[in-house]
Amino acid sequence: MQVELQERPATARPLLAIDGLKAFYGGTEALHGISFSLPTGGITTLLGANGAGKTTTLRAICGMVRREGEVSFDGQAIGRLATEDIVRLGVAHVPEGRGTFTGLSVEENLKIATYGRRDRAHVKRDLDLVFTYFPRLKERIAQQAGTLSGGEQQMLAISRALMLGPRLMLLDEPSFGLAPLIVREIFHIMRRINEEAGVAMLLVEQNATLALELADTVYVLETGSIVMSGTADEMKNNEGIRRSYLGY
Ligand code: ATP
């Protein structure tokens, strides 16, 4: 059953608009021309089984995989830009596996993230912001990232993304391998970052229950195509979604 999204007012330009996006690994097409959009300041989640194309969608948005189709961010075409230019416009990717530099300290990891930033004046402000969200990282500022707990490493990965001064965060499996309590804590902080700093989020998450608690809008991917979309509440009440993703 297709659950249609309610129409937004014509004035609300999407922050991210994707139209006919394809992605390729070598000669293999992993995304078959998907289209969707994200509002400014919202939280959207992609649901789908293993191999559906969720990670590939995030990679395609930030130019980390060969892609075709239209992607625009805040009205600007980014479908042909290099990853570093997309990042500079305000799109920060928190990859699967976190991507922290394990041999560097917490402070060095955070500073490295800011090297490409043009608005240097805001770096100190954003560092303070990171420490208000993640005071534990402040306590461990000199510690080598590889010696942090899994939860702290995920906090560091999100913090590195925050240090880019993003308007959109692409989050890939932030709960992966973490204990439920720490996952709760991290998701709570993600909501605060969204609400207080106005950072929009596109979340990929195996734990669909958590994803639907956090997100307001949902797209379901199956083998490289979007097969359903709706609000999180609509999805929670959809029998097919409940059976396939929520386990009841
Ligand atoms: P998962 O939850 O398992 O990460 P996913 O929905 O994120 O699943 P993707 O990782 O985006 O799925 O994979 C989509 C398709 O692309 C799959 O068929 C996968 O085998 C293929 N694929 C992903 N990464 C690569 C790669 N580096 N090289 C070749 N094929 C890949």
Side-chain angles (χ1 to χ4, degrees):
M1 185 182 71
Q2 179 80 19
V3 181
E4 292 298 336
L5 282 176
Q6 285 186 346
E7 287 218 352
R8 293 185 173 274
T11 49
R13 179 169 78 181
L15 181 64
L16 185 79
I18 289 174
D19 190 16
L21 181 66
K22 295 181 176 182
F24 305 86
Y25 293 106
T28 308
E29 188 177 294
L31 291 181
H32 309 304
I34 62 171
S35 303
F36 67 99
S37 61
L38 263 59
T40 299
I43 302 182
T44 299
T45 190
L46 295 176
L47 294 185
N50 284 345
K54 306 179 298 295
T55 293
T56 303
T57 302
L58 302 191
R59 286 189 192 140
I61 292 168
C62 53
M64 296 168 71
V65 63
R66 187 164 71 83
R67 76 273 201 219
E68 284 175 9
E70 304 300 322
V71 184
S72 71
F73 179 69
D74 201 19
Q76 180 173 346
I78 61 168
R80 280 162 198 81
L81 295 186
T83 302
E84 58 268 30
D85 295 323
I86 295 170
V87 169
R88 241 177 246 128
L89 289 173
V91 181
H93 184 215
V94 183
E96 232 172 349
R98 294 158 195 152
T100 48
F101 297 104
T102 51
L104 300 183
S105 69
V106 167
E107 185 173 24
E108 287 163 337
N109 266 280
L110 294 173
K111 287 204 168 141
I112 275 185
T114 68
Y115 286 166
R117 269 181 81 162
R118 296 205 179 102
D119 55 342
R120 304 297 306 171
H122 292 151
V123 169
K124 168 77 174 75
R125 181 200 62 189
D126 287 347
L127 192 62
D128 291 341
L129 190 66
V130 159
F131 291 145
T132 61
Y133 290 127
F134 299 110
R136 258 199 256 180
L137 292 183
K138 189 171 189 179
E139 291 162 21
R140 290 163 174 53
I141 188 154
Q143 198 170 317
Q144 206 174 329
T147 67
L148 297 173
S149 70
E152 289 162 352
Q153 289 196 26
Q154 185 60 61
M155 291 176 185
L156 181 57
I158 295 171
S159 298
R160 287 183 57 205
L162 264 180
M163 291 305 294
L164 298 165
R167 296 179 60 203
L168 170 64
M169 266 193 201
L170 310 175
L171 293 142
D172 202 343
E173 300 277 0
S175 79
F176 187 78
L178 303 180
L181 214 57
I182 193 81
V183 170
R184 287 263 155 223
E185 188 183 336
I186 288 173
F187 271 62
H188 175 69
I189 296 167
M190 281 159 51
R191 174 167 305 283
R192 281 188 55 203
I193 292 170
N194 169 253
E195 290 179 352
E196 296 169 15
V199 178
M201 295 179 177
L202 178 57
L203 170 69
V204 165
E205 182 50 67
Q206 280 294 329
N207 186 332
T209 305
L210 268 179
L212 292 184
E213 270 176 35
L214 189 69
D216 30 65
T217 307
V218 184
Y219 292 91
V220 181
L221 269 175
E222 264 176 29
T223 52
S225 300
I226 291 178
V227 294
M228 201 187 277
S229 61
T231 65
D233 284 338
E234 285 167 341
M235 291 297 176
K236 282 182 219 163
N237 292 317
N238 181 293
E239 208 187 320
I241 293 289
R242 286 214 310 260
R243 241 185 293 117
S244 302
Y245 296 102
L246 303 174
Y248 64 93

